[in-house]
Amino acid sequence: MNVSDLLTEAYDRLPDLVRAAVDGLGPEQLRHQPGPGGNSVGWLVWHLSRVQDHHVADLLDAEQIWVSGDWAGRFGLTPDPDDTGYGHSPAQVAAVRPENAQALIDYYQAVAARTASLLAGLGPADLDRVVDESWDPPVTLGVRLVSIVDDDLQHVGQAAYVRGLIEAG
């Protein structure tokens, strides 16, 4: 298996996991925080989508999907390219208000399609390219792509868990 196929296999698992975490939940369920300061299903899926969108856009030196169209409006937010949810306070978590599950699915699918185009045709040498020199050691493309998928898998698992709490009700 080549590196492009391997990364594609990992990232291609996420759309079904995202759909399973949110499909059939209503707006209030998507916004439900399981406890004080807890992250809602909607926030978790929005956040994992935002992080992937932010990082992949940076890797492509392109505009984020979030700031084009009316994505932010579908979440009750402004199209701030720096707002990925990192470090959000409980009030900021509560302010992420997806209009419905489909908004989360649609946004993630748009982000995933862009990521798939980045992954297509990557070779081993591409993964060694330094993409962030602010870390020691500097971050390579390979490390960044693994970091993104790792973060996304953790958050979609958390979203599935919170969904289970909601359904157990």
Side-chain angles (χ1 to χ4, degrees):
M1 178 178 276
N2 68 42
V3 69
S4 176
D5 291 344
L6 179 64
L7 288 167
T8 297
E9 176 66 27
Y11 277 87
D12 277 356
R13 294 170 185 233
L14 285 161
D16 288 340
L17 295 171
V18 163
R19 181 176 296 282
V22 302
D23 202 26
L25 295 180
E28 291 306 314
Q29 292 171 309
L30 291 169
R31 298 174 194 143
H32 172 76
Q33 292 175 266
N39 296 326
S40 66
V41 170
W43 184 89
L44 286 160
V45 172
W46 169 81
H47 170 65
L48 73 86
S49 303
R50 285 294 300 123
V51 168
Q52 189 176 143
D53 186 11
H54 178 275
H55 288 359
V56 170
D58 185 56
L59 294 172
L60 294 169
D61 195 27
E63 184 176 68
Q64 294 173 33
I65 292 167
W66 180 250
V67 301
S68 63
D70 188 33
W71 292 111
R74 293 181 71 185
F75 292 84
L77 300 170
T78 60
D80 179 354
D82 295 323
D83 185 9
T84 63
Y86 182 76
H88 266 189
S89 68
Q92 289 170 305
V93 170
V96 176
R97 302 179 60 82
E99 61 188 18
N100 53 37
Q102 196 60 49
L104 290 157
I105 292 166
D106 291 348
Y107 178 48
Y108 185 75
Q109 286 179 334
V111 170
R114 176 184 266 179
T115 301
S117 71
L118 170 67
L119 298 176
L122 281 180
D126 297 319
L127 300 181
D128 292 331
R129 177 173 61 94
V130 172
V131 297
D132 187 347
E133 294 185 357
S134 66
W135 296 89
D136 185 21
V139 176
T140 63
L141 176 60
V143 167
R144 177 61 45 87
L145 290 170
V146 168
S147 176
I148 295 166
V149 76
D150 174 63
D151 187 66
D152 282 2
L153 287 167
Q154 288 184 59
H155 288 312
V156 79
Q158 293 165 348
Y161 178 77
V162 174
R163 180 190 178 114
L165 293 175
I166 292 167
E167 291 175 337

PDB file of all heavy atoms in Angstrom, residues 27-62:
ATOM      1  N   PRO A  27     -31.934  19.629  16.730  1.00  0.00           N
ATOM      2  CA  PRO A  27     -31.082  20.755  17.140  1.00  0.00           C
ATOM      3  C   PRO A  27     -30.793  20.801  18.643  1.00  0.00           C
ATOM      4  O   PRO A  27     -29.654  21.052  19.042  1.00  0.00           O
ATOM      5  CB  PRO A  27     -31.860  21.983  16.675  1.00  0.00           C
ATOM      6  CG  PRO A  27     -32.651  21.493  15.506  1.00  0.00           C
ATOM      7  CD  PRO A  27     -33.035  20.080  15.866  1.00  0.00           C
ATOM      8  N   GLU A  28     -31.794  20.566  19.462  1.00  0.00           N
ATOM      9  CA  GLU A  28     -31.563  20.614  20.913  1.00  0.00           C
ATOM     10  C   GLU A  28     -30.655  19.474  21.369  1.00  0.00           C
ATOM     11  O   GLU A  28     -29.814  19.666  22.252  1.00  0.00           O
ATOM     12  CB  GLU A  28     -32.887  20.611  21.681  1.00  0.00           C
ATOM     13  CG  GLU A  28     -33.677  21.895  21.515  1.00  0.00           C
ATOM     14  CD  GLU A  28     -32.883  23.150  21.872  1.00  0.00           C
ATOM     15  OE1 GLU A  28     -32.209  23.177  22.921  1.00  0.00           O
ATOM     16  OE2 GLU A  28     -32.921  24.114  21.073  1.00  0.00           O
ATOM     17  N   GLN A  29     -30.816  18.305  20.777  1.00  0.00           N
ATOM     18  CA  GLN A  29     -29.937  17.186  21.120  1.00  0.00           C
ATOM     19  C   GLN A  29     -28.499  17.471  20.691  1.00  0.00           C
ATOM     20  O   GLN A  29     -27.556  17.144  21.406  1.00  0.00           O
ATOM     21  CB  GLN A  29     -30.433  15.900  20.464  1.00  0.00           C
ATOM     22  CG  GLN A  29     -31.751  15.405  21.043  1.00  0.00           C
ATOM     23  CD  GLN A  29     -32.320  14.272  20.221  1.00  0.00           C
ATOM     24  OE1 GLN A  29     -32.448  14.386  19.003  1.00  0.00           O
ATOM     25  NE2 GLN A  29     -32.663  13.176  20.887  1.00  0.00           N
ATOM     26  N   LEU A  30     -28.337  18.096  19.537  1.00  0.00           N
ATOM     27  CA  LEU A  30     -26.996  18.434  19.058  1.00  0.00           C
ATOM     28  C   LEU A  30     -26.311  19.447  19.971  1.00  0.00           C
ATOM     29  O   LEU A  30     -25.094  19.486  20.051  1.00  0.00           O
ATOM     30  CB  LEU A  30     -27.063  18.987  17.630  1.00  0.00           C
ATOM     31  CG  LEU A  30     -27.455  17.987  16.558  1.00  0.00           C
ATOM     32  CD1 LEU A  30     -27.749  18.720  15.251  1.00  0.00           C
ATOM     33  CD2 LEU A  30     -26.375  16.932  16.371  1.00  0.00           C
ATOM     34  N   ARG A  31     -27.104  20.264  20.644  1.00  0.00           N
ATOM     35  CA  ARG A  31     -26.566  21.320  21.512  1.00  0.00           C
ATOM     36  C   ARG A  31     -26.465  20.894  22.971  1.00  0.00           C
ATOM     37  O   ARG A  31     -25.933  21.631  23.803  1.00  0.00           O
ATOM     38  CB  ARG A  31     -27.453  22.555  21.409  1.00  0.00           C
ATOM     39  CG  ARG A  31     -27.498  23.139  20.029  1.00  0.00           C
ATOM     40  CD  ARG A  31     -28.498  24.277  19.963  1.00  0.00           C
ATOM     41  NE  ARG A  31     -28.769  24.603  18.571  1.00  0.00           N
ATOM     42  CZ  ARG A  31     -29.947  24.964  18.109  1.00  0.00           C
ATOM     43  NH1 ARG A  31     -30.974  25.090  18.920  1.00  0.00           N
ATOM     44  NH2 ARG A  31     -30.107  25.236  16.841  1.00  0.00           N
ATOM     45  N   HIS A  32     -26.999  19.723  23.284  1.00  0.00           N
ATOM     46  CA  HIS A  32     -27.022  19.249  24.670  1.00  0.00           C
ATOM     47  C   HIS A  32     -25.600  19.050  25.197  1.00  0.00           C
ATOM     48  O   HIS A  32     -24.810  18.302  24.624  1.00  0.00           O
ATOM     49  CB  HIS A  32     -27.798  17.932  24.765  1.00  0.00           C
ATOM     50  CG  HIS A  32     -27.703  17.297  26.113  1.00  0.00           C
ATOM     51  ND1 HIS A  32     -28.408  17.763  27.197  1.00  0.00           N
ATOM     52  CD2 HIS A  32     -26.961  16.252  26.550  1.00  0.00           C
ATOM     53  CE1 HIS A  32     -28.113  17.014  28.252  1.00  0.00           C
ATOM     54  NE2 HIS A  32     -27.233  16.095  27.880  1.00  0.00           N
ATOM     55  N   GLN A  33     -25.304  19.721  26.306  1.00  0.00           N
ATOM     56  CA  GLN A  33     -24.021  19.534  26.975  1.00  0.00           C
ATOM     57  C   GLN A  33     -24.239  18.540  28.111  1.00  0.00           C
ATOM     58  O   GLN A  33     -25.115  18.741  28.952  1.00  0.00           O
ATOM     59  CB  GLN A  33     -23.493  20.875  27.486  1.00  0.00           C
ATOM     60  CG  GLN A  33     -23.113  21.810  26.340  1.00  0.00           C
ATOM     61  CD  GLN A  33     -22.689  23.184  26.810  1.00  0.00           C
ATOM     62  OE1 GLN A  33     -23.507  24.091  26.877  1.00  0.00           O
ATOM     63  NE2 GLN A  33     -21.415  23.315  27.135  1.00  0.00           N
ATOM     64  N   PRO A  34     -23.474  17.452  28.139  1.00  0.00           N
ATOM     65  CA  PRO A  34     -23.737  16.371  29.093  1.00  0.00           C
ATOM     66  C   PRO A  34     -23.485  16.748  30.550  1.00  0.00           C
ATOM     67  O   PRO A  34     -23.852  16.002  31.448  1.00  0.00           O
ATOM     68  CB  PRO A  34     -22.799  15.258  28.639  1.00  0.00           C
ATOM     69  CG  PRO A  34     -21.701  15.964  27.916  1.00  0.00           C
ATOM     70  CD  PRO A  34     -22.338  17.162  27.274  1.00  0.00           C
ATOM     71  N   GLY A  35     -22.885  17.880  30.781  1.00  0.00           N
ATOM     72  CA  GLY A  35     -22.623  18.343  32.139  1.00  0.00           C
ATOM     73  C   GLY A  35     -22.042  19.737  32.055  1.00  0.00           C
ATOM     74  O   GLY A  35     -21.745  20.231  30.962  1.00  0.00           O
ATOM     75  N   PRO A  36     -21.874  20.386  33.206  1.00  0.00           N
ATOM     76  CA  PRO A  36     -21.298  21.739  33.187  1.00  0.00           C
ATOM     77  C   PRO A  36     -19.933  21.742  32.498  1.00  0.00           C
ATOM     78  O   PRO A  36     -19.048  20.968  32.849  1.00  0.00           O
ATOM     79  CB  PRO A  36     -21.167  22.082  34.669  1.00  0.00           C
ATOM     80  CG  PRO A  36     -22.150  21.184  35.365  1.00  0.00           C
ATOM     81  CD  PRO A  36     -22.189  19.926  34.542  1.00  0.00           C
ATOM     82  N   GLY A  37     -19.817  22.564  31.479  1.00  0.00           N
ATOM     83  CA  GLY A  37     -18.555  22.665  30.748  1.00  0.00           C
ATOM     84  C   GLY A  37     -18.327  21.556  29.749  1.00  0.00           C
ATOM     85  O   GLY A  37     -17.276  21.511  29.112  1.00  0.00           O
ATOM     86  N   GLY A  38     -19.292  20.655  29.601  1.00  0.00           N
ATOM     87  CA  GLY A  38     -19.137  19.537  28.674  1.00  0.00           C
ATOM     88  C   GLY A  38     -19.350  19.959  27.232  1.00  0.00           C
ATOM     89  O   GLY A  38     -20.024  20.950  26.952  1.00  0.00           O
ATOM     90  N   ASN A  39     -18.763  19.212  26.334  1.00  0.00           N
ATOM     91  CA  ASN A  39     -18.904  19.490  24.906  1.00  0.00           C
ATOM     92  C   ASN A  39     -20.089  18.732  24.326  1.00  0.00           C
ATOM     93  O   ASN A  39     -20.265  17.542  24.582  1.00  0.00           O
ATOM     94  CB  ASN A  39     -17.626  19.098  24.160  1.00  0.00           C
ATOM     95  CG  ASN A  39     -16.435  19.925  24.577  1.00  0.00           C
ATOM     96  OD1 ASN A  39     -16.571  21.103  24.889  1.00  0.00           O
ATOM     97  ND2 ASN A  39     -15.266  19.323  24.592  1.00  0.00           N
ATOM     98  N   SER A  40     -20.873  19.430  23.541  1.00  0.00           N
ATOM     99  CA  SER A  40     -22.032  18.827  22.887  1.00  0.00           C
ATOM    100  C   SER A  40     -21.603  18.039  21.654  1.00  0.00           C
ATOM    101  O   SER A  40     -20.501  18.237  21.119  1.00  0.00           O
ATOM    102  CB  SER A  40     -23.021  19.919  22.477  1.00  0.00           C
ATOM    103  OG  SER A  40     -22.450  20.741  21.465  1.00  0.00           O
ATOM    104  N   VAL A  41     -22.491  17.175  21.183  1.00  0.00           N
ATOM    105  CA  VAL A  41     -22.239  16.441  19.934  1.00  0.00           C
ATOM    106  C   VAL A  41     -21.996  17.434  18.803  1.00  0.00           C
ATOM    107  O   VAL A  41     -21.056  17.292  18.022  1.00  0.00           O
ATOM    108  CB  VAL A  41     -23.426  15.507  19.595  1.00  0.00           C
ATOM    109  CG1 VAL A  41     -23.280  14.927  18.189  1.00  0.00           C
ATOM    110  CG2 VAL A  41     -23.566  14.403  20.617  1.00  0.00           C
ATOM    111  N   GLY A  42     -22.854  18.447  18.709  1.00  0.00           N
ATOM    112  CA  GLY A  42     -22.715  19.444  17.640  1.00  0.00           C
ATOM    113  C   GLY A  42     -21.389  20.170  17.705  1.00  0.00           C
ATOM    114  O   GLY A  42     -20.739  20.372  16.682  1.00  0.00           O
ATOM    115  N   TRP A  43     -20.977  20.567  18.910  1.00  0.00           N
ATOM    116  CA  TRP A  43     -19.699  21.264  19.036  1.00  0.00           C
ATOM    117  C   TRP A  43     -18.547  20.346  18.657  1.00  0.00           C
ATOM    118  O   TRP A  43     -17.628  20.762  17.940  1.00  0.00           O
ATOM    119  CB  TRP A  43     -19.486  21.792  20.460  1.00  0.00           C
ATOM    120  CG  TRP A  43     -18.226  22.599  20.562  1.00  0.00           C
ATOM    121  CD1 TRP A  43     -18.084  23.938  20.343  1.00  0.00           C
ATOM    122  CD2 TRP A  43     -16.909  22.104  20.862  1.00  0.00           C
ATOM    123  NE1 TRP A  43     -16.758  24.311  20.485  1.00  0.00           N
ATOM    124  CE2 TRP A  43     -16.024  23.200  20.806  1.00  0.00           C
ATOM    125  CE3 TRP A  43     -16.398  20.848  21.157  1.00  0.00           C
ATOM    126  CZ2 TRP A  43     -14.654  23.077  21.050  1.00  0.00           C
ATOM    127  CZ3 TRP A  43     -15.038  20.716  21.394  1.00  0.00           C
ATOM    128  CH2 TRP A  43     -14.179  21.821  21.347  1.00  0.00           C
ATOM    129  N   LEU A  44     -18.570  19.105  19.115  1.00  0.00           N
ATOM    130  CA  LEU A  44     -17.470  18.180  18.829  1.00  0.00           C
ATOM    131  C   LEU A  44     -17.296  17.957  17.323  1.00  0.00           C
ATOM    132  O   LEU A  44     -16.171  17.986  16.814  1.00  0.00           O
ATOM    133  CB  LEU A  44     -17.700  16.844  19.549  1.00  0.00           C
ATOM    134  CG  LEU A  44     -17.471  16.878  21.058  1.00  0.00           C
ATOM    135  CD1 LEU A  44     -18.165  15.706  21.733  1.00  0.00           C
ATOM    136  CD2 LEU A  44     -15.978  16.900  21.373  1.00  0.00           C
ATOM    137  N   VAL A  45     -18.401  17.750  16.621  1.00  0.00           N
ATOM    138  CA  VAL A  45     -18.302  17.509  15.175  1.00  0.00           C
ATOM    139  C   VAL A  45     -17.944  18.801  14.446  1.00  0.00           C
ATOM    140  O   VAL A  45     -17.145  18.789  13.503  1.00  0.00           O
ATOM    141  CB  VAL A  45     -19.598  16.866  14.636  1.00  0.00           C
ATOM    142  CG1 VAL A  45     -19.585  16.781  13.117  1.00  0.00           C
ATOM    143  CG2 VAL A  45     -19.767  15.472  15.250  1.00  0.00           C
ATOM    144  N   TRP A  46     -18.504  19.933  14.883  1.00  0.00           N
ATOM    145  CA  TRP A  46     -18.113  21.231  14.297  1.00  0.00           C
ATOM    146  C   TRP A  46     -16.612  21.447  14.488  1.00  0.00           C
ATOM    147  O   TRP A  46     -15.909  21.808  13.553  1.00  0.00           O
ATOM    148  CB  TRP A  46     -18.911  22.358  14.963  1.00  0.00           C
ATOM    149  CG  TRP A  46     -18.401  23.719  14.633  1.00  0.00           C
ATOM    150  CD1 TRP A  46     -18.661  24.449  13.502  1.00  0.00           C
ATOM    151  CD2 TRP A  46     -17.519  24.522  15.425  1.00  0.00           C
ATOM    152  NE1 TRP A  46     -17.997  25.648  13.553  1.00  0.00           N
ATOM    153  CE2 TRP A  46     -17.286  25.718  14.729  1.00  0.00           C
ATOM    154  CE3 TRP A  46     -16.905  24.335  16.660  1.00  0.00           C
ATOM    155  CZ2 TRP A  46     -16.468  26.732  15.221  1.00  0.00           C
ATOM    156  CZ3 TRP A  46     -16.087  25.340  17.157  1.00  0.00           C
ATOM    157  CH2 TRP A  46     -15.887  26.524  16.442  1.00  0.00           C
ATOM    158  N   HIS A  47     -16.123  21.206  15.690  1.00  0.00           N
ATOM    159  CA  HIS A  47     -14.715  21.430  16.016  1.00  0.00           C
ATOM    160  C   HIS A  47     -13.788  20.538  15.182  1.00  0.00           C
ATOM    161  O   HIS A  47     -12.802  21.017  14.615  1.00  0.00           O
ATOM    162  CB  HIS A  47     -14.486  21.194  17.507  1.00  0.00           C
ATOM    163  CG  HIS A  47     -13.060  21.153  17.923  1.00  0.00           C
ATOM    164  ND1 HIS A  47     -12.221  22.235  17.834  1.00  0.00           N
ATOM    165  CD2 HIS A  47     -12.316  20.136  18.428  1.00  0.00           C
ATOM    166  CE1 HIS A  47     -11.010  21.897  18.280  1.00  0.00           C
ATOM    167  NE2 HIS A  47     -11.044  20.618  18.642  1.00  0.00           N
ATOM    168  N   LEU A  48     -14.097  19.257  15.083  1.00  0.00           N
ATOM    169  CA  LEU A  48     -13.213  18.388  14.308  1.00  0.00           C
ATOM    170  C   LEU A  48     -13.209  18.801  12.837  1.00  0.00           C
ATOM    171  O   LEU A  48     -12.174  18.722  12.168  1.00  0.00           O
ATOM    172  CB  LEU A  48     -13.568  16.910  14.490  1.00  0.00           C
ATOM    173  CG  LEU A  48     -14.821  16.328  13.843  1.00  0.00           C
ATOM    174  CD1 LEU A  48     -14.574  15.880  12.408  1.00  0.00           C
ATOM    175  CD2 LEU A  48     -15.299  15.139  14.658  1.00  0.00           C
ATOM    176  N   SER A  49     -14.347  19.281  12.350  1.00  0.00           N
ATOM    177  CA  SER A  49     -14.427  19.765  10.970  1.00  0.00           C
ATOM    178  C   SER A  49     -13.633  21.053  10.803  1.00  0.00           C
ATOM    179  O   SER A  49     -12.931  21.240   9.802  1.00  0.00           O
ATOM    180  CB  SER A  49     -15.884  20.002  10.569  1.00  0.00           C
ATOM    181  OG  SER A  49     -16.650  18.825  10.718  1.00  0.00           O
ATOM    182  N   ARG A  50     -13.760  21.948  11.791  1.00  0.00           N
ATOM    183  CA  ARG A  50     -13.040  23.223  11.724  1.00  0.00           C
ATOM    184  C   ARG A  50     -11.528  23.006  11.756  1.00  0.00           C
ATOM    185  O   ARG A  50     -10.793  23.653  11.014  1.00  0.00           O
ATOM    186  CB  ARG A  50     -13.461  24.132  12.894  1.00  0.00           C
ATOM    187  CG  ARG A  50     -14.815  24.757  12.743  1.00  0.00           C
ATOM    188  CD  ARG A  50     -14.871  25.754  11.577  1.00  0.00           C
ATOM    189  NE  ARG A  50     -13.907  26.828  11.786  1.00  0.00           N
ATOM    190  CZ  ARG A  50     -12.950  27.139  10.914  1.00  0.00           C
ATOM    191  NH1 ARG A  50     -12.822  26.508   9.762  1.00  0.00           N
ATOM    192  NH2 ARG A  50     -12.108  28.122  11.185  1.00  0.00           N
ATOM    193  N   VAL A  51     -11.064  22.131  12.626  1.00  0.00           N
ATOM    194  CA  VAL A  51      -9.618  21.891  12.716  1.00  0.00           C
ATOM    195  C   VAL A  51      -9.105  21.337  11.394  1.00  0.00           C
ATOM    196  O   VAL A  51      -8.084  21.802  10.865  1.00  0.00           O
ATOM    197  CB  VAL A  51      -9.286  20.961  13.905  1.00  0.00           C
ATOM    198  CG1 VAL A  51      -7.850  20.469  13.831  1.00  0.00           C
ATOM    199  CG2 VAL A  51      -9.541  21.682  15.220  1.00  0.00           C
ATOM    200  N   GLN A  52      -9.799  20.359  10.839  1.00  0.00           N
ATOM    201  CA  GLN A  52      -9.358  19.794   9.564  1.00  0.00           C
ATOM    202  C   GLN A  52      -9.397  20.854   8.463  1.00  0.00           C
ATOM    203  O   GLN A  52      -8.439  20.982   7.694  1.00  0.00           O
ATOM    204  CB  GLN A  52     -10.224  18.595   9.178  1.00  0.00           C
ATOM    205  CG  GLN A  52      -9.669  17.854   7.975  1.00  0.00           C
ATOM    206  CD  GLN A  52     -10.465  16.618   7.633  1.00  0.00           C
ATOM    207  OE1 GLN A  52     -10.641  16.311   6.469  1.00  0.00           O
ATOM    208  NE2 GLN A  52     -10.942  15.890   8.615  1.00  0.00           N
ATOM    209  N   ASP A  53     -10.464  21.624   8.397  1.00  0.00           N
ATOM    210  CA  ASP A  53     -10.591  22.691   7.402  1.00  0.00           C
ATOM    211  C   ASP A  53      -9.450  23.695   7.547  1.00  0.00           C
ATOM    212  O   ASP A  53      -8.781  24.052   6.573  1.00  0.00           O
ATOM    213  CB  ASP A  53     -11.949  23.378   7.572  1.00  0.00           C
ATOM    214  CG  ASP A  53     -12.273  24.403   6.502  1.00  0.00           C
ATOM    215  OD1 ASP A  53     -11.570  24.486   5.470  1.00  0.00           O
ATOM    216  OD2 ASP A  53     -13.272  25.124   6.699  1.00  0.00           O
ATOM    217  N   HIS A  54      -9.220  24.152   8.759  1.00  0.00           N
ATOM    218  CA  HIS A  54      -8.173  25.139   9.039  1.00  0.00           C
ATOM    219  C   HIS A  54      -6.797  24.624   8.618  1.00  0.00           C
ATOM    220  O   HIS A  54      -6.048  25.300   7.909  1.00  0.00           O
ATOM    221  CB  HIS A  54      -8.194  25.468  10.533  1.00  0.00           C
ATOM    222  CG  HIS A  54      -7.150  26.414  10.986  1.00  0.00           C
ATOM    223  ND1 HIS A  54      -5.877  26.015  11.318  1.00  0.00           N
ATOM    224  CD2 HIS A  54      -7.180  27.752  11.159  1.00  0.00           C
ATOM    225  CE1 HIS A  54      -5.166  27.060  11.695  1.00  0.00           C
ATOM    226  NE2 HIS A  54      -5.927  28.128  11.603  1.00  0.00           N
ATOM    227  N   HIS A  55      -6.464  23.413   9.051  1.00  0.00           N
ATOM    228  CA  HIS A  55      -5.131  22.879   8.787  1.00  0.00           C
ATOM    229  C   HIS A  55      -4.919  22.529   7.312  1.00  0.00           C
ATOM    230  O   HIS A  55      -3.852  22.806   6.758  1.00  0.00           O
ATOM    231  CB  HIS A  55      -4.860  21.656   9.656  1.00  0.00           C
ATOM    232  CG  HIS A  55      -4.646  21.959  11.099  1.00  0.00           C
ATOM    233  ND1 HIS A  55      -4.665  23.226  11.653  1.00  0.00           N
ATOM    234  CD2 HIS A  55      -4.412  21.135  12.145  1.00  0.00           C
ATOM    235  CE1 HIS A  55      -4.431  23.174  12.935  1.00  0.00           C
ATOM    236  NE2 HIS A  55      -4.278  21.904  13.270  1.00  0.00           N
ATOM    237  N   VAL A  56      -5.915  21.925   6.697  1.00  0.00           N
ATOM    238  CA  VAL A  56      -5.763  21.539   5.283  1.00  0.00           C
ATOM    239  C   VAL A  56      -5.709  22.787   4.404  1.00  0.00           C
ATOM    240  O   VAL A  56      -4.908  22.852   3.469  1.00  0.00           O
ATOM    241  CB  VAL A  56      -6.862  20.550   4.852  1.00  0.00           C
ATOM    242  CG1 VAL A  56      -6.855  20.340   3.345  1.00  0.00           C
ATOM    243  CG2 VAL A  56      -6.668  19.222   5.579  1.00  0.00           C
ATOM    244  N   ALA A  57      -6.519  23.794   4.703  1.00  0.00           N
ATOM    245  CA  ALA A  57      -6.447  25.045   3.942  1.00  0.00           C
ATOM    246  C   ALA A  57      -5.050  25.643   4.056  1.00  0.00           C
ATOM    247  O   ALA A  57      -4.486  26.127   3.056  1.00  0.00           O
ATOM    248  CB  ALA A  57      -7.497  26.036   4.428  1.00  0.00           C
ATOM    249  N   ASP A  58      -4.489  25.597   5.258  1.00  0.00           N
ATOM    250  CA  ASP A  58      -3.128  26.112   5.453  1.00  0.00           C
ATOM    251  C   ASP A  58      -2.120  25.312   4.625  1.00  0.00           C
ATOM    252  O   ASP A  58      -1.228  25.885   3.997  1.00  0.00           O
ATOM    253  CB  ASP A  58      -2.769  26.063   6.937  1.00  0.00           C
ATOM    254  CG  ASP A  58      -1.421  26.686   7.231  1.00  0.00           C
ATOM    255  OD1 ASP A  58      -1.221  27.859   6.879  1.00  0.00           O
ATOM    256  OD2 ASP A  58      -0.564  25.981   7.816  1.00  0.00           O
ATOM    257  N   LEU A  59      -2.277  23.996   4.608  1.00  0.00           N
ATOM    258  CA  LEU A  59      -1.361  23.153   3.832  1.00  0.00           C
ATOM    259  C   LEU A  59      -1.455  23.443   2.335  1.00  0.00           C
ATOM    260  O   LEU A  59      -0.464  23.340   1.613  1.00  0.00           O
ATOM    261  CB  LEU A  59      -1.657  21.672   4.088  1.00  0.00           C
ATOM    262  CG  LEU A  59      -1.385  21.175   5.501  1.00  0.00           C
ATOM    263  CD1 LEU A  59      -1.906  19.756   5.675  1.00  0.00           C
ATOM    264  CD2 LEU A  59       0.095  21.266   5.852  1.00  0.00           C
ATOM    265  N   LEU A  60      -2.648  23.795   1.890  1.00  0.00           N
ATOM    266  CA  LEU A  60      -2.873  24.088   0.470  1.00  0.00           C
ATOM    267  C   LEU A  60      -2.672  25.566   0.141  1.00  0.00           C
ATOM    268  O   LEU A  60      -2.781  25.960  -1.021  1.00  0.00           O
ATOM    269  CB  LEU A  60      -4.290  23.680   0.065  1.00  0.00           C
ATOM    270  CG  LEU A  60      -4.596  22.194   0.109  1.00  0.00           C
ATOM    271  CD1 LEU A  60      -6.096  21.956  -0.057  1.00  0.00           C
ATOM    272  CD2 LEU A  60      -3.794  21.453  -0.953  1.00  0.00           C
ATOM    273  N   ASP A  61      -2.405  26.373   1.162  1.00  0.00           N
ATOM    274  CA  ASP A  61      -2.324  27.830   0.999  1.00  0.00           C
ATOM    275  C   ASP A  61      -3.582  28.345   0.305  1.00  0.00           C
ATOM    276  O   ASP A  61      -3.527  29.058  -0.692  1.00  0.00           O
ATOM    277  CB  ASP A  61      -1.063  28.240   0.234  1.00  0.00           C
ATOM    278  CG  ASP A  61      -0.768  29.724   0.367  1.00  0.00           C
ATOM    279  OD1 ASP A  61      -1.174  30.326   1.379  1.00  0.00           O
ATOM    280  OD2 ASP A  61      -0.152  30.287  -0.564  1.00  0.00           O
ATOM    281  N   ALA A  62      -4.737  27.933   0.852  1.00  0.00           N
ATOM    282  CA  ALA A  62      -6.036  28.258   0.270  1.00  0.00           C
ATOM    283  C   ALA A  62      -6.961  28.812   1.353  1.00  0.00           C
ATOM    284  O   ALA A  62      -6.696  28.683   2.546  1.00  0.00           O
ATOM    285  CB  ALA A  62      -6.656  27.001  -0.347  1.00  0.00           C
TER     286      ALA A  62
END
